[in-house]
């Protein structure tokens, strides 16, 4: 009997990664997510998706979800114990009891709440109301403090409101594009596709990139300014100095629409091109060219992100860049403006509802008595607290001191992402009671929780998000919540109702007749209350509704009552959101980073994003294919520095800052200047481990970073730390790789996590090509001496290396072992797993044999041979460039050498042959660089 094919249902939602806000179409069949496509009707991406977005459906596979998700409430009787499941009623009752007890005994400021830019606007709104309306504290902050708070403070200091004035359409309308502090090609790939489109359509467009690293974005620039870390304010002042000298300042605009220009003019008068060029480490001529293009080849659009924000002077950097736009009148017009790119999918929505320690709903100011009174009236309480709460770093410092007794952490992983990780972990360990509200059970923070509450995630969530260009989109659920998971807003509302019954002093502040502050039955009822708070504000959305979002499409704010569409650009009339209606110039002084490199810590460490990963990798880290581009943790150094240190690429180094140390492989990179180092922000304890000589865990990259923060925004300087780098004296090493059934691979990684802390260095990452039936797991370790033999046996057991197909060579008296497991395959026998201990040189050829599922019949017992060269000839595959089609650099170079024509033509020929860059396009910047660097090789004619 023939069964009809399962019907595919399509649900519109958005991507849960960066702040571009791409629309997605989620395909489901029989209660499972089976595919994802870019939404061709969404104005953020018009159907395009990057490598991360295009693999979302793979992260929703049953094999991933069942191994990684938190599926029911869990509690620990003791921190050292494994958690056990409890009912929702019991979990919420316990949480309310514990928080109420702390509040009654120590006051509202003894509790803290830490949220996320990945929460939906509805989630954020309930959290804000719970903390500030019911409990009566402003100790609510989010990981947006690490991401966008300097951008918020910069906009407010100059324009009067946290409102990006430009939009994505301006990318195609600009004549000069100034990208500073952003590797847009990696951090916002779909926006970079639009930039590439714009440059093809307008070959005269100028692209200026300022960055300490020669990133993929910088490779595309017409003018690259490789400035020294932290010198952005000096650069901008120097450019303004040139503009003033050459008559490129629009003095008419300045006079009509701004204030404070003369104070700024006085500051920049000392920033001559020679002084600034020397300070920034760039040629004088390039500084002058940048100023001339910015002020003369208009309209000019600036794009910026964490390179400006994550700084002890982040607000000043943002404001100094905005100064350039105000001085030249490049704001409020087509193709122009200072455009801050948001790092998270809904950091903007969180800012809209006031979900941070110094904000209130609808861009109201916590310091303003009238604003506080308005919010209190809207919420139905007598007052909201006036004292700003503790921001992210302050909150964990207070917990470490014992001042904050209870923490509620929602949808974020501070045990990976906050700076000075040793202090953060001390804070979590000392805090009397920690609740973690999370979708994934595998994050480092979950290990510190007394109570774990399962939340919904992408594919299940329902609500709204706002992207970088102020565009609000509907997020619809394609599936019901998995297991016992609940929506974040619903968890917080239920907790709030429980807490109300235990805090009579707080509920006494309610307006008479108010039974609860949390009467919500669905996400839309929360959103309607949020909408009401925006009436008459700069982000007024009283003309918007769920129905409009669903039928007409995503809309930008403001969208006031009776409006038919949102507003694309702000300040088009030259009137700003200040009391005077004039924009304010910021006469800020240049100041160096908080921590300068010196003789003891001679390297400047920069952190940033990888192309195919996102944040702490709780989602992207479930897919081996997303590790194809950058497969393991590493720290990048200039080749000259590697040579000076007596190191080779791949060797382990000890990296030490004033706060901590890590061991990690060193990698050579021409993109990094001499004296600098770069490490991806993603590498936390989930993937990188190790202990020091005293047995203390070393942590991930943020064991090194500094908590020094901007005085105005509170944002920490994650972009700069002074470090010392030296060879790690760890002569004994181990590497093991295995193919494991997809339904068991994540469990194997969890079993291996404790073993990462058994050595001075440990790392564990996936590899593979999902949706294959097997996923690869790689485990790497190094130590001063060999461990007990049973440690090796336990690692083999965790990787499933066992049975009669295992071959082994052992010389454990000298710490050497080589183990291989072979199984039948399509090409004869293939390598399923190997482990090398002591002498690991054979990894050079065993690894590609295993990853490529190559036949190994010709090797026989030679699979156990030592040395870096195989006894049977084999071709090297090289570094992966294209994740979508698994295309590696050597194949691309060979193809380019036989292609003819100009660079675009040769690139098109390679794409037609190998398909690289034809799906998501994330690898296009690398492909173009390869096309430039590898000329055609004339073909020899034969008769």
């Amino acid at each position: 009997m023939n069964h009809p094919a399962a019907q595919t249902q399509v649900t519109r939602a958005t991507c849960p990664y960066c702040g571009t806000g791409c629309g997605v179409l989620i395909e489901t069949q029989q209660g499972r997510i089976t595919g994802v496509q870019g939404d061709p009707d969404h104005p953020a991406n018009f159907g395009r998706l990057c490598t991360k977005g295009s693999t979302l459906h793979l992260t929703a596979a049953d094999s991933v979800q069942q191994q990684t998700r938190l599926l029911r409430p869990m509690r620990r009787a003791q921190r050292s114990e494994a958690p056990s499941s409890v009912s929702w009623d019991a979990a919420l009752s316990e949480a309310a009891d514990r928080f109420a007890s702390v509040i009654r005994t120590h006051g509202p400021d003894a509790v803290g709440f830490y949220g996320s830019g990945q929460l939906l606007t509805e989630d954020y709104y309930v959290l804000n109301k719970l903390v500030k309306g019911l409990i009566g504290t402003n100790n609510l902050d989010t990981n947006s403090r690490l991401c966008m708070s300097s951008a918020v403070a910069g906009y407010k200091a100059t324009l009067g409101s946290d409102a990006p004035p430009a939009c994505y359409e301006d990318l195609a309308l600009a004549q000069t594009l100034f990208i500073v502090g952003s590797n847009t090609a990696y951090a916002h790939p779909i926006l970079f596709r639009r930039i590439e489109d714009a440059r093809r359509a307008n070959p005269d467009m100028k692209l200026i990139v300022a960055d300490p690293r020669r990133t993929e974005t910088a490779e595309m620039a017409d003018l690259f300014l490789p400035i020294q870390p932290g010198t952005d304010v000096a650069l901008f002042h120097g450019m303004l100095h040139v503009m003033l000298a050459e008559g490129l300042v629009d003095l008419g605009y300045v006079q009509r629409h701004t204030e404070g220009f003369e104070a700024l003019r006085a500051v920049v008068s000392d920033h001559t091109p020679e002084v600034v060029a020397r300070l920034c480490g760039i040629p004088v001529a390039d500084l002058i060219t940048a100023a001339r293009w910015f002020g003369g080849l208009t309209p000019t659009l600036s794009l910026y992100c964490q390179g400006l924000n994550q700084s002890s002077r982040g607000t000043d950097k943002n404001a100094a860049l905005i100064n350039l736009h105000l001085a030249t009148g490049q704001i409020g017009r087509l193709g122009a403006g200072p455009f801050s790119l948001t790092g998270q999918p809904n950091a903007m929505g969180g800012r809209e509802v006031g979900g941070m320690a110094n904000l209130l709903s609808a861009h109201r100011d916590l310091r303003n008595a009238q604003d506080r009174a308005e919010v209190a009236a809207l919420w139905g309480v007598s007052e909201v607290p006036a004292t700003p709460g503790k921001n992210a770093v302050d909150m964990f410092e207070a917990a470490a001191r014992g001042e904050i007794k209870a923490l509620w952490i929602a949808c974020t992983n501070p045990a990976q992402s906050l700076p000075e990780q040793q202090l953060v972990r001390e804070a979590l360990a000392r805090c009397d009671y920690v609740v973690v509200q999370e979708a994934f059970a595998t994050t480092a923070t979950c290990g510190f929780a007394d109570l774990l509450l399962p939340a919904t995630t992408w594919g299940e969530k329902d609500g709204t998000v706002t992207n970088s260009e102020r565009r609000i989109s509907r997020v619809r659920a394609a599936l019901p919540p998995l297991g016992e998971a609940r929506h974040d807003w619903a968890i917080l509302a239920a907790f709030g109702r429980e807490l109300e019954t235990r805090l009579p002093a707080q509920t006494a502040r309610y307006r008479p007749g108010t039974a609860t502050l949390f009467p919500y039955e669905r996400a839309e009822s929360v959103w309607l209350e949020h909408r009401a708070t925006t009436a008459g504000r700069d982000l007024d959305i009283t003309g918007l509704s769920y129905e409009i979002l669903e039928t007409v499409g995503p809309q930008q704010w403001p969208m006031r009552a009776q409006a038919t569409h949102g507003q694309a650009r702000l300040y088009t009339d030259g009137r700003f959101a200040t009391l005077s209606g004039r924009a304010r110039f910021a006469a800020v002084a240049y100041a160096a980073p908080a921590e300068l490199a010196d003789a003891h810590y001679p390297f400047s460490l920069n952190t940033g994003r990888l192309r195919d990963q996102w944040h702490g990798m709780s989602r992207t880290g479930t897919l081996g294919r997303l590790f194809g581009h950058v497969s393991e943790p590493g720290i990048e150094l200039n080749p000259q520095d590697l040579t000076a240190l007596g190191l080779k690429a791949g060797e382990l180094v000890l990296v030490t800052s004033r706060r901590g140390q890590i061991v990690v492989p060193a990698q050579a990179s021409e993109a990094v200047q001499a004296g600098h180092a770069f490490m991806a922000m993603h590498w936390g304890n989930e993937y990188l481990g190790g202990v020091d000589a005293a047995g203390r865990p070393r942590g991930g990259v943020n064991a090194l970073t500094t908590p020094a923060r901007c005085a105005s925004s509170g944002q920490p300087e994650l972009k700069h730390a002074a470090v010392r780098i030296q060879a790690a004296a760890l002569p004994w090493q181990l590497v093991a790789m295995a193919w494991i059934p997809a339904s068991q691979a994540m469990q194997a990684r969890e079993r291996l996590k404790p073993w990462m802390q058994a050595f001075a260095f440990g790392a564990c990452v996936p590899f593979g090509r999902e949706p294959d039936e097997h996923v690869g797991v790689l485990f790497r370790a190094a130590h001063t001496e060999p461990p007990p033999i049973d440690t090796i046996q336990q690692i083999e057991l965790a990787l499933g290396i066992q049975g009669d197909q295992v071959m082994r060579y052992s010389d454990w008296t000298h710490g050497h072992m080589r183990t291989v497991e072979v199984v039948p395959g399509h090409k004869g026998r293939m390598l399923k797993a190997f482990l090398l201990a002591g002498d690991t040189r054979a990894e050079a050829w065993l690894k590609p044999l295993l990853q490529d599922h190559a036949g190994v019949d010709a090797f026989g017992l030679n699979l156990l041979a030592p040395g870096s060269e195989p006894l049977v000839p084999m071709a090297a595959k090289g570094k992966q460039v294209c994740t979508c089609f698994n295309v590696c650099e050597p194949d691309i170079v060979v193809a380019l050498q036989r292609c003819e024509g100009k660079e675009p033509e040769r690139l098109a020929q390679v794409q037609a042959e190998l398909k690289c860059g034809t799906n998501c396009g994330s690898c296009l910047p690398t492909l173009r660089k390869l096309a430039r660097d590898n000329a055609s090789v004339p073909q020899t004619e034969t008769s």
Side-chain angles (χ1 to χ4, degrees):
M1 180 177 180
N2 294 326
H3 296 278
Q7 185 174 2
T8 299
Q9 295 181 319
V10 178
T11 304
R12 276 193 160 89
T14 59
C15 176
Y17 294 130
C18 78
T20 302
C22 295
V24 298
L25 303 176
I26 306 174
E27 300 170 353
T28 56
Q29 289 184 359
Q30 298 178 331
R32 290 189 173 95
I33 293 177
T34 56
V36 65
Q37 304 292 331
D39 185 348
D41 297 325
H42 198 290
N45 59 316
F46 297 108
R48 286 171 163 168
L49 291 176
C50 71
T51 51
K52 299 180 290 291
S54 61
T55 54
L56 274 167
H57 61 296
L58 300 177
T59 70
D62 286 347
S63 59
V64 173
Q65 298 280 295
Q66 292 297 328
Q67 294 180 83
T68 61
R69 289 287 299 278
L70 187 60
L71 298 177
R72 58 193 60 83
M74 309 282 284
R75 70 178 297 274
R76 286 185 175 92
Q78 301 290 334
R79 289 273 175 90
S80 59
E81 297 179 0
S84 57
S85 61
V86 294
S87 69
W88 267 107
D89 288 345
L92 292 171
S93 179
E94 177 187 299
D97 285 342
R98 296 294 297 269
F99 270 75
S101 176
V102 170
I103 293 165
R104 288 193 299 264
T105 304
H106 303 283
D109 289 338
V111 301
F113 290 76
Y114 188 55
S116 167
Q118 298 157 65
L119 293 170
L120 302 190
T121 301
E122 294 77 1
D123 305 327
Y124 255 124
Y125 184 86
V126 177
L127 176 58
N128 199 36
K129 191 178 184 184
L130 165 70
V131 178
K132 298 171 185 175
L134 169 58
I135 296 175
T137 180
N138 288 315
N139 285 347
L140 161 63
D141 216 49
T142 75
N143 59 13
S144 296
R145 183 70 61 185
L146 313 181
C147 177
M148 302 307 301
S149 56
S150 291
V152 173
Y155 276 139
K156 292 175 71 173
T158 53
L159 310 182
S161 178
D162 172 24
C167 63
Y168 293 163
E169 289 180 353
D170 291 320
L171 295 170
L173 301 173
Q175 190 60 37
T176 296
L177 192 59
F178 185 29
I179 301 179
V180 56
S182 169
N183 185 10
T184 317
Y186 275 19
H188 298 88
I190 298 306
L191 293 186
F192 202 71
R193 301 287 84 75
R194 294 178 75 147
I195 293 171
E196 292 170 330
D197 292 345
R199 299 190 77 199
R200 279 193 296 271
N202 178 13
D204 294 330
M205 175 189 281
K206 299 298 184 182
L207 174 59
I208 309 168
V209 175
D211 198 303
R213 284 196 305 144
R214 183 176 284 277
T215 64
E216 286 66 19
T217 305
E219 288 285 353
M220 298 289 292
D222 299 297
L223 177 63
F224 173 47
L225 305 174
I227 61 175
Q228 289 300 302
T231 59
D232 309 81
V233 169
L235 171 68
F236 304 148
H237 284 356
M239 291 172 65
L240 184 54
H241 184 106
V242 173
M243 292 179 198
L244 282 163
E246 300 195 1
L248 297 174
V249 171
D250 188 341
L251 293 175
Y253 186 91
V254 170
Q255 184 177 15
R256 292 190 303 274
H257 302 299
T258 72
E259 58 193 21
F261 184 66
E262 291 307 314
L264 177 61
R265 186 200 293 264
V267 170
V268 304
S269 63
D270 295 333
H271 288 70
T272 63
E274 292 75 19
V275 169
V276 170
R278 184 168 59 252
L279 187 62
C280 294
I282 59 175
V284 170
D286 288 353
L287 172 66
I288 294 173
T289 298
R292 288 173 175 169
W293 288 0
F294 190 107
L297 301 180
T298 58
T300 298
L301 180 70
S302 294
L303 303 178
Y304 51 101
C305 198
Q306 306 311 338
L308 296 193
N309 298 343
Q310 290 177 338
S311 166
S312 57
R313 296 285 176 163
T315 303
D316 290 352
K317 291 179 179 181
N318 276 262
L321 177 59
I322 294 170
N323 284 342
L324 299 184
H325 285 272
L326 295 174
T328 55
Q330 293 302 304
I331 188 170
R333 54 181 294 196
L334 298 178
F339 195 176
S340 165
L341 299 180
T342 311
Q344 297 191 82
N346 200 36
M348 184 73 74
R351 289 143 63 181
E352 293 163 11
V353 304
M356 296 180 79
N358 59 320
L359 303 177
L360 285 173
S361 293
H363 288 178
R364 290 176 174 87
D365 193 330
L366 189 64
R367 298 167 297 182
N368 185 298
Q370 181 179 340
D371 284 356
R372 294 196 305 273
E374 288 178 2
V375 171
L378 287 162
W379 284 350
V381 297
S382 60
E383 62 180 4
V384 293
T387 304
K390 291 179 171 59
N391 64 39
V393 179
D394 292 337
M395 189 181 300
F396 284 85
E397 288 179 346
R401 293 191 301 266
E403 296 169 10
I404 286 185
K405 309 290 185 181
L407 276 169
W408 189 294
I409 299 166
C411 195
T412 187
N413 188 16
Q416 186 273 338
S417 59
L418 282 172
E420 196 173 11
Q421 276 291 298
Q422 182 177 345
L423 182 141
V424 173
R425 288 162 183 263
E426 289 171 0
L428 290 167
R430 180 171 183 179
C431 192
D432 292 346
Y433 192 65
V434 177
V435 176
V436 175
Q437 177 178 321
E438 176 60 75
F440 293 93
T442 52
T443 70
T445 306
C446 286
F448 293 90
D450 298 288
L451 185 67
L452 291 153
L453 301 178
T456 52
T457 187
W458 179 84
E460 304 162 7
K461 293 186 76 66
D462 177 54
T464 59
V465 295
T466 308
N467 72 357
S468 293
E469 63 167 351
R470 298 172 282 106
R471 189 177 297 278
I472 300 170
S473 297
R474 269 286 277 131
V475 176
R476 303 167 182 82
L479 295 176
L482 185 64
E484 297 179 30
R486 294 184 179 182
H487 296 311
D488 289 283
W489 68 263
I491 296 171
L492 296 163
F495 172 66
R497 291 190 292 268
E498 288 285 333
L499 205 54
E500 285 173 325
T501 67
R502 293 161 171 82
L503 294 176
Q506 272 73 15
T507 56
R509 298 184 292 108
Y510 287 9
R511 179 186 299 135
T514 300
T516 178
L517 294 187
F518 313 100
Y520 316 114
E521 296 180 355
R522 62 190 189 282
E524 187 177 11
S525 60
V526 179
W527 187 84
L528 289 171
E529 187 176 310
H530 159 59
R531 182 181 69 174
T533 70
T534 71
R537 306 293 299 175
D538 66 309
L539 71 164
D540 191 329
I541 54 170
T542 52
L544 193 58
S545 65
Y546 267 31
E547 181 181 5
I548 289 173
L549 291 172
E550 292 169 357
T551 58
V552 179
Q555 298 293 321
Q556 291 172 275
W557 60 253
M559 186 172 172
R560 299 177 177 88
Q562 310 307 317
T564 58
H565 56 80
Q567 188 171 329
R569 294 170 188 84
L570 305 181
Y571 315 126
T572 54
D573 59 356
R575 183 163 183 82
F576 294 87
T578 61
L579 290 176
S580 66
R582 291 173 173 267
R584 299 182 291 247
F585 282 102
V588 297
Y590 163 72
E595 189 173 81
L596 293 174
D598 57 24
H600 297 288
Y601 300 93
F603 287 90
S604 173
L605 174 66
N606 183 10
T607 65
R609 298 178 187 270
L610 297 176
R611 189 190 74 187
D612 295 350
Q613 301 294 351
W614 200 72
H615 278 209
M617 302 194 289
S618 55
R619 180 182 296 277
T620 55
T622 63
L623 298 182
R625 66 187 294 145
L626 292 182
F627 287 75
H629 182 239
V630 176
S631 59
E632 297 181 53
I635 187 167
E636 295 181 12
L637 296 171
N638 186 277
Q640 294 178 14
D641 288 327
L642 275 180
T643 300
L645 291 169
L647 296 168
K648 296 179 180 178
E651 291 185 349
L652 293 174
V653 292
L654 176 67
V655 187
T656 307
S657 76
R658 291 176 173 86
R659 290 152 298 280
Q661 59 178 217
I662 63 172
V663 174
V664 68
Q667 298 166 346
S669 173
E670 296 283 357
V672 178
Q673 296 183 49
H676 293 192
F678 173 80
M679 188 168 176
M681 59 175 280
H682 317 288
W683 301 120
N685 268 126
E686 295 88 342
Y687 303 90
L688 177 64
V691 294
D692 63 17
R696 294 174 301 224
R698 286 200 164 105
V701 62
N702 283 315
L704 305 171
T705 51
T706 174
R709 42 206 180 272
C710 175
S712 299
S713 70
Q715 185 156 2
E717 193 156 53
L718 292 168
K719 281 291 182 181
H720 178 74
V723 298
R724 180 172 62 250
I725 300 174
Q726 61 197 84
L730 301 173
W732 184 88
Q733 299 193 8
L734 175 147
V735 59
M737 299 180 70
W739 290 111
I740 299 174
S743 60
Q744 302 169 25
M746 289 298 301
Q747 295 171 1
R749 285 170 56 189
E750 290 300 305
R751 289 194 298 270
L752 286 165
K753 275 184 181 179
W755 293 110
M756 287 198 293
Q757 306 301 336
F759 303 94
F761 162 76
C764 186
V765 295
F767 61 90
R769 296 292 300 173
E770 294 89 356
D772 289 353
E773 294 180 359
H774 288 76
V775 174
V777 174
L778 180 150
F779 180 83
R780 198 180 293 278
H783 206 63
T784 53
E785 60 186 7
I789 187 67
D790 62 341
T791 296
I792 307 301
Q793 294 167 349
Q794 290 297 317
I795 293 171
E796 287 187 349
L797 187 63
L799 288 167
I801 302 176
Q802 56 187 333
D804 56 8
Q805 299 296 315
V806 173
M807 298 184 291
R808 183 176 285 110
Y809 165 84
S810 180
D811 177 15
W812 202 245
T813 57
H814 296 94
H816 294 291
M817 179 179 288
R818 293 188 289 278
T819 303
V820 296
E821 182 178 0
V822 294
V823 294
H826 297 300
K827 304 173 184 177
R829 294 193 306 165
M830 57 172 277
L831 196 57
K832 174 182 175 291
F834 71 83
L835 181 146
L836 304 173
D839 181 356
T840 61
R841 292 174 298 164
E843 177 194 356
W845 51 276
L846 285 174
K847 182 177 180 179
L849 281 177
L850 183 142
Q851 288 184 311
D852 296 344
H853 302 287
V856 297
D857 287 337
F859 287 84
L861 290 175
N862 287 327
L863 288 170
L864 293 174
S868 58
E869 296 295 331
L871 299 183
V872 176
M874 53 184 290
K877 190 168 184 178
K879 178 179 173 59
Q880 185 190 82
V881 172
C882 177
T883 297
C884 297
F885 296 106
N886 194 24
V887 184
C888 295
E889 184 172 319
D891 296 328
I892 297 169
V893 170
V894 169
L896 281 167
Q897 290 173 344
R898 60 174 176 262
C899 294
E900 298 180 353
K902 296 181 179 179
E903 179 187 318
E905 297 165 334
R906 296 171 62 233
L907 183 58
Q909 294 171 48
V910 169
Q911 289 182 280
E913 178 182 343
L914 302 178
K915 295 187 178 181
C916 48
T918 60
N919 186 36
C920 76
S922 295
C923 62
L924 283 172
T926 303
L927 290 174
R928 291 194 177 95
K929 183 177 186 300
L930 289 173
R932 287 195 301 272
D933 295 346
N934 294 274
S936 301
V937 176
Q939 301 296 306
T940 303
E941 293 186 6
T942 58
S943 56

